[in-house]
Amino acid sequence: MKILVVNAGSSSLKYQLFDMGKGTVLAKGNCERIGIDGRITHKRPSKEDFSASPAFPDHRAAIGYVLRLLTDPTYGVIGSVGEIAAVGHRFAHGGERLRESAVLGDEELAYLESIVGLNPLHGPPAISGFKACRAEMPSVKHVGVFDTSYYSSLPDYAYIYPLPYELYEEKKIRRYGFHGTSHRYVAGKAQELLGDPNAKIVTCHLGNGASITATVNGKAVDTSMGFTPQDGVPMGTRSGALDPTVVTYIMRECGLTAEETEKLLNEKSGLLGVSGVSSDCRDVEEAAAKGNMRASLAMRILVHNVKKLIGAYYAEMNGIDALVFTAGIGENDRALRAEVCGGLSALGISVDEAVNATCPRGEICDISGKNARARTFVIPTNEEYMIARDTLALV
Ligand code: ADP
């Protein structure tokens, strides 16, 4: 059975076509500059990549092009669109109601449209991508997979903020958590590696966006991102957690509007804000290695905050069986992994320096130190496969 996975952003549409029987990716690609001009890169295993610059006025034009490409005699991988059994769509936010992956009908669409205020950046393009795909493929089932749904298992004391309770009831202000599909995937892999479905696992998704999640018995019990992805550890351009009064003080002192303040917190803070060099971890580390003190400080703040949350989740779960690193930084940055795990021997966590330093890119590695009580794994994330798996399960 073939499942198409779609991840629509404001000016992009990423796709992967899975053959679920064989567990392989037949083709994948990215439509970029939608609404501007248009560019597509299309990849198939062991075949030459295809790229072009067709006009993509909207998501509908992009998905139409992708379907023609997938069935093209030269660049295609299927005979007809009819071979696609279902489409899985990535949504960052499922609100309080979409607590698990679901077949998307008019009711679900209306609900997703009603909560775009909670998710103004990702909601509208994801909805527009879904509508475009449904218009192009009206006869197959479309499934929504929501980053927030992994967190429907959080206990109330972990998701309710200590604010006037009416703000939760009336405005739905609560911790939602994000990156759930990635945390669910790597936590599941860690359970398999441990052979223990009840394991206590801390997963560190450290990419341009970063979040940390605690999972017990296959269910998330806490996570660092909150009402928005802004909470938790510092990221490429986001501050992560702050004393909330810093925000209102900045607004008053610097004369910024709410929008300007959000921009400062979301786009000008984190690694970029502290280092003044770049939001990209590699650039910041390179500058730090050359003696740039602010770049070095940015990295030390990141390590400090990741460590602090690992300790918090150890306390919440009364132990950790596995610590997992994933996403761009987690999968590739050996030095950062070693620094995060350094000084955690009291928690039973340590890293084998040699194994950590030689973990091949894109592979699962057990980098645990010899006498560690907890395993430390590097596990490449695969959100698209998770979306395809959920989609298959629902059709
Ligand atoms: P996104 O959140 O955009 O999906 P990714 O998961 O692709 O982000 O992660 C991007 C981050 O990973 C960037 O900060 C990049 O510098 C970092 N990264 C990628 N490779 C390495 C590496 N070898 N060493 C350090 N950081 C890396």
Side-chain angles (χ1 to χ4, degrees):
M1 192 179 270
K2 291 168 188 124
I3 305 273
L4 181 65
V5 172
V6 172
N7 182 356
S10 57
S11 66
S12 69
L13 185 146
K14 297 195 186 107
Y15 61 92
Q16 284 199 24
L17 183 65
F18 286 87
D19 184 329
M20 299 306 284
K22 296 190 183 128
T24 54
V25 175
L26 296 171
K28 65 177 175 180
N30 192 6
C31 303
E32 295 169 280
R33 302 180 61 85
I34 296 172
I36 306 166
D37 38 35
R39 184 185 310 141
I40 183 166
T41 320
H42 175 75
K43 297 171 189 276
R44 294 158 301 160
S46 56
K47 297 218 171 105
E48 217 171 288
D49 293 353
F50 168 84
S51 59
S53 302
F56 289 151
D58 51 26
H59 286 104
R60 177 97 192 249
I63 190 67
Y65 191 94
V66 169
L67 294 178
R68 286 194 294 281
L69 202 51
L70 288 171
T71 51
D72 183 86
T74 311
Y75 300 106
V77 288
I78 50 177
S80 77
V81 174
E83 286 183 43
I84 300 174
V87 186
H89 299 266
R90 183 212 169 208
F91 283 86
H93 217 307
E96 281 211 301
R97 223 188 280 166
L98 291 164
R99 295 165 66 93
E100 49 192 50
S101 302
V103 174
L104 298 174
D106 289 337
E107 205 179 301
E108 288 76 16
L109 175 59
Y111 178 66
L112 287 168
E113 284 177 328
S114 77
I115 59 162
V116 290
L118 294 175
N119 178 35
L121 282 185
H122 297 109
I127 290 170
S128 152
F130 158 63
K131 284 180 172 167
C133 290
R134 190 169 69 166
E136 289 290 324
M137 289 171 279
S139 55
V140 299
K141 281 195 176 141
H142 294 261
V143 169
V145 178
F146 311 96
D147 276 359
T148 48
S149 63
Y150 189 50
Y151 302 110
S152 61
S153 55
L154 295 194
D156 52 5
Y157 54 80
Y159 73 76
I160 298 287
Y161 290 119
L163 290 167
Y165 194 72
E166 297 72 35
L167 286 172
Y168 165 60
E169 288 180 310
E170 290 162 20
K171 305 284 183 202
K172 300 292 169 211
I173 297 174
R174 54 161 287 179
R175 182 183 302 283
Y176 287 101
F178 297 89
H179 288 152
T181 310
S182 171
H183 288 286
R184 181 158 59 106
Y185 176 78
V186 296
K189 280 273 170 214
Q191 277 172 27
E192 277 172 32
L193 292 164
L194 294 168
D196 178 4
N198 306 317
K200 297 168 179 171
I201 302 168
V202 172
T203 45
C204 304
H205 177 113
L206 306 175
N208 195 30
S211 62
I212 306 191
T213 293
T215 295
V216 187
N217 298 327
K219 294 204 182 304
V221 292
D222 207 349
T223 191
S224 63
M225 283 180 166
F227 177 60
T228 69
Q230 172 66 34
D231 199 1
V233 295
M235 311 174 209
T237 58
R238 293 189 193 124
S239 65
L242 294 171
D243 173 348
T245 311
V246 168
V247 179
T248 46
Y249 188 78
I250 290 172
M251 292 175 78
R252 276 198 302 272
E253 280 296 303
C254 308
L256 299 186
T257 62
E259 287 72 23
E260 287 163 343
T261 311
E262 277 185 3
K263 206 172 164 71
L264 181 145
L265 296 171
N266 263 308
E267 297 173 25
K268 299 179 185 168
S269 300
L271 292 181
L272 173 66
V274 176
S275 72
V277 171
S278 167
S279 62
D280 190 290
C281 188
R282 282 166 294 199
D283 298 343
V284 179
E285 286 183 329
E286 201 180 305
K290 288 183 183 148
N292 182 319
M293 292 311 290
R294 274 174 52 186
S296 152
L297 176 62
M299 292 309 300
R300 284 181 285 128
I301 295 174
L302 173 62
V303 168
H304 169 73
N305 279 278
V306 173
K307 245 184 172 95
K308 208 157 76 168
L309 277 169
I310 294 170
Y313 295 160
Y314 183 98
E316 281 187 39
M317 298 191 290
N318 193 18
I320 291 179
D321 298 314
L323 176 66
V324 178
F325 288 96
T326 193
I329 301 172
E331 290 169 32
N332 298 303
D333 193 336
R334 297 150 182 178
L336 180 122
R337 290 195 300 254
E339 276 170 40
V340 166
C341 296
L344 292 186
S345 58
L347 308 189
I349 294 168
S350 68
V351 152
D352 183 310
E353 294 286 346
V355 180
N356 180 43
T358 51
C359 173
R361 201 186 175 92
E363 284 187 22
I364 293 179
C365 299
D366 180 342
I367 60 170
S368 321
K370 292 199 175 44
N371 299 317
R373 288 196 307 278
R375 313 315 303 160
T376 298
F377 297 119
V378 178
I379 303 180
T381 194
N382 196 342
E383 289 158 282
E384 292 77 14
Y385 175 66
M386 206 67 201
I387 295 171
R389 228 169 69 177
D390 281 12
T391 304
L392 180 67
L394 282 166
V395 298

